[in-house]
Amino acid sequence: AQKVTQAQTEISVVEKEDVTLDCVYETRDTTYYLFWYKQPPSGELVFLIRRNSFDEQNEISGRYSWNFQKSTSSFNFTITASQVVDSAVYFCALSEVDSSNTGKLIFGQGTTLQVKP
Amino acid sequence: ETGVTQTPRHLVMGMTNKKSLKCEQHLGHNAMYWYKQSAKKPLELMFVYSLEERVENNSVPSRFSPECPNSSHLFLHLHTLQPEDSALYLCASSQATFSTGTGFEKLFFGSGTQLSVL
């Protein structure tokens, strides 16, 4: 069965600090997708990134970077030089693809990030 | 503005009431989803509609009844709910078809309806 673990429930940092949000997943499939979503106080989840299981290249987008390591089943997310606007709940998610080409997105518990000025 | 609008934003209802949650997407997507977000629990997928057909019903109690009259609108009809059903109900949409599949594409979420059942 698939499972996503975000061990950090809450993280608090001071503005301009770097912060890494951990995500560890479990799956038996060789084909799967990993996601990160951000949920600001307004409530809607905002898509940040999607990676497929065959693409282990790390990704950088501005202050955001992601480290995908299949060997440790981890897909960690780093925010460099954090800002107050980064304060939100961040969700890691996993979707396996079955034979009917239907996936089911399973979310982790979420990590609440508070960035203080 | 994500292109997915949910109404109402807040809803308080008694256990004997009947109410409906509404979701509308303006993105031209053809798959829509209902998720439930409870305190201290991960987001739970409730229903998936692709091209107006329900493709996923994730063991949700019958007191929750979805309806998808067209690819832009999704409803969640509620009746005889329990206090433990109090949660944030999130609607999402995506560009998915039977050939590309659902469940592993980028989702666009609404802001949710915060439901309290008394």
Side-chain angles (χ1 to χ4, degrees):
Chain A
Q2 55 187 109
K3 183 180 176 182
V4 177
T5 301
Q6 294 180 254
Q8 304 149 307
T9 306
E10 294 183 18
I11 300 176
S12 182
V13 300
V14 177
E15 209 169 18
K16 297 185 183 175
E17 282 186 32
D18 298 348
V19 58
T20 295
L21 309 182
D22 297 332
C23 174
V24 174
Y25 63 92
E26 294 176 27
T27 178
R28 295 178 187 168
D29 274 11
T30 55
T31 303
Y32 54 90
Y33 292 81
L34 294 164
F35 300 77
W36 277 95
Y37 282 86
K38 173 183 179 181
Q39 186 177 35
S42 53
E44 79 281 8
L45 276 79
V46 178
F47 169 86
L48 295 178
I49 190 171
R50 182 184 84 161
R51 306 295 286 185
N52 73 51
S53 51
F54 300 107
D55 184 0
E56 283 193 76
Q57 271 194 323
N58 291 330
E59 175 125 355
I60 298 175
S61 177
R63 296 184 297 105
Y64 295 171
S65 62
W66 290 269
N67 181 249
F68 177 25
Q69 292 200 344
K70 285 178 77 170
S71 60
T72 55
S73 297
S74 64
F75 187 43
N76 296 336
F77 172 32
T78 297
I79 301 175
T80 304
S82 60
Q83 300 176 3
V84 173
V85 293
D86 295 327
S87 297
V89 183
Y90 290 86
F91 291 95
C92 181
L94 162 71
S95 185
E96 298 172 336
V97 182
D98 65 20
S99 56
S100 65
N101 214 22
T102 299
K104 184 174 171 179
L105 197 60
I106 300 297
F107 285 84
Q109 295 267 25
T111 297
T112 300
L113 173 65
Q114 183 182 35
V115 181
K116 299 177 181 176
Chain B
E1 178 60 47
T2 66
V4 180
T5 305
Q6 288 187 245
T7 55
R9 288 298 307 271
H10 301 273
L11 178 63
V12 179
M13 58 187 289
M15 289 192 284
T16 58
N17 291 159
K18 289 185 181 180
K19 296 285 185 183
S20 296
L21 309 185
K22 179 182 176 183
C23 177
E24 183 175 0
Q25 59 96 0
H26 314 275
L27 301 168
H29 290 163
N30 48 30
M32 297 187 77
Y33 307 73
W34 280 116
Y35 278 87
K36 177 183 178 182
Q37 186 177 21
S38 308
K40 310 292 184 186
K41 291 178 74 174
L43 276 84
E44 301 170 67
L45 177 64
M46 299 175 74
F47 301 103
V48 181
Y49 278 83
S50 179
L51 298 173
E52 299 150 43
E53 277 193 48
R54 192 188 310 178
V55 297
E56 178 84 30
N57 179 352
N58 208 26
S59 303
V60 179
S62 59
R63 56 186 184 270
F64 295 92
S65 175
E67 178 190 0
C68 187
N70 56 60
S71 59
S72 298
H73 294 86
L74 184 66
F75 295 90
L76 188 63
H77 303 301
L78 316 171
H79 65 97
T80 57
L81 294 192
Q82 305 297 311
E84 60 265 27
D85 297 322
S86 298
L88 179 67
Y89 288 85
L90 291 161
C91 173
S93 70
S94 70
Q95 188 61 36
T97 66
F98 282 125
S99 60
T100 61
T102 62
F104 49 89
E105 67 285 9
K106 173 181 175 181
L107 298 180
F108 293 77
F109 284 85
S111 296
T113 295
Q114 185 65 55
L115 173 67
S116 296
V117 182
L118 304 178

